[in-house]
Amino acid sequence: MNFPNIETPRLILKILDTSAINHVIETYTREDMWAFFGISNEQQEEEEMKRYRGGYDSFNRSVKRFIMIEKTSQKVIGACAFHNWFISHNRSEIGYNMLYEEDKQKGYMTETVSAVIDYGFNVMDLHRIEATTGRENIASQKVLLKHGFVFEGVLREHYNVNGIHQDSLLYSLLRNEIVNTLK
């Protein structure tokens, strides 16, 4: 299977829809699947398999994932995704993560999010992109603000993290608010 890509100055972003994700899980060896997704332990594998068994799509929503590959090393360093993509409403939630501490604070996520936002508005025809982040996740908040996201409010006790319900900060970006300087 050929996976479409987006190239940024330092990264290759492999674009995966649900059929591509399913293909990798169903046909790749365990070792190859781990390498493809950047999985480094059995817990991460189990999380991926739970998503797979639960189904990435539902009758009214879908997902689009972008695997971040650093060009020089060809190493998977993170991922970004449009999840909770409500196709009929032209909106989706964006989420992202870096896999390794040594790759953080290097601007990779800013570079990725810029390309993914552009893809969302211009290819997926999104009107609104939403994001939630924890109060303590200052790095994520900076990425969102850098891209012009607007703080909308607090979702009280929105996430359960290790048995503790925590607030989420809600941000959004509308198509007509795109920060052109990051393109």
Side-chain angles (χ1 to χ4, degrees):
M1 177 172 236
N2 190 13
F3 303 101
N5 294 330
I6 298 172
E7 288 203 33
T8 69
R10 299 178 296 161
L11 301 167
I12 297 169
L13 306 175
K14 283 190 183 192
I15 305 169
L16 307 175
D17 60 14
T18 55
S19 64
I21 296 167
N22 291 339
H23 172 79
V24 170
I25 291 172
E26 293 167 2
T27 64
Y28 282 34
T29 65
R30 182 180 191 208
E31 180 180 277
D32 289 341
M33 181 187 72
W34 279 35
F36 187 90
F37 288 123
I39 294 171
S40 59
N41 60 54
E42 290 181 2
Q43 179 182 349
Q44 290 174 345
E45 178 186 25
E46 183 55 32
E47 289 170 10
E48 188 65 44
M49 295 310 292
K50 280 182 188 175
R51 287 190 289 268
Y52 170 71
R53 287 189 297 271
Y56 291 97
D57 286 335
S58 71
F59 76 95
N60 69 345
R61 63 185 184 154
S62 190
V63 66
K64 186 81 68 170
R65 186 186 290 177
F66 304 82
I67 304 294
M68 300 167 56
I69 301 166
E70 196 277 323
K71 283 182 180 178
T72 305
S73 68
Q74 291 295 300
K75 178 177 89 171
V76 175
I77 63 170
C80 186
F82 284 119
H83 53 96
N84 292 325
W85 173 22
F86 290 86
I87 298 167
S88 63
H89 296 290
N90 302 90
R91 69 178 164 88
S92 185
E93 185 175 344
I94 192 170
Y96 40 82
N97 70 297
M98 297 295 297
L99 295 175
Y100 308 105
E101 285 298 319
E102 64 265 19
D103 294 319
K104 293 180 179 180
Q105 303 296 317
K106 294 183 177 179
Y108 288 126
M109 197 53 71
T110 295
E111 193 172 319
T112 297
V113 169
S114 184
V116 170
I117 287 171
D118 183 64
Y119 184 92
F121 285 132
N122 295 309
V123 177
M124 296 169 59
D125 194 33
L126 295 176
H127 172 74
R128 175 184 167 94
I129 299 173
E130 303 168 353
T132 59
T133 185
R135 288 184 183 275
E136 71 290 341
N137 194 342
I138 304 303
S140 181
Q141 293 168 40
K142 286 181 180 179
V143 168
L144 295 171
L145 292 172
K146 192 177 288 186
H147 288 87
F149 279 74
V150 174
F151 175 71
E152 290 191 345
V154 177
L155 300 172
R156 299 178 315 134
E157 297 185 5
H158 184 238
Y159 277 103
N160 184 333
V161 180
N162 300 320
I164 300 169
H165 288 89
Q166 298 181 5
D167 295 346
S168 293
L169 305 181
L170 175 63
Y171 293 83
S172 71
L173 179 66
L174 303 178
R175 180 193 304 262
N176 65 349
E177 298 171 333
I178 299 171
V179 178
N180 293 320
T181 59
L182 292 172
K183 289 188 175 183

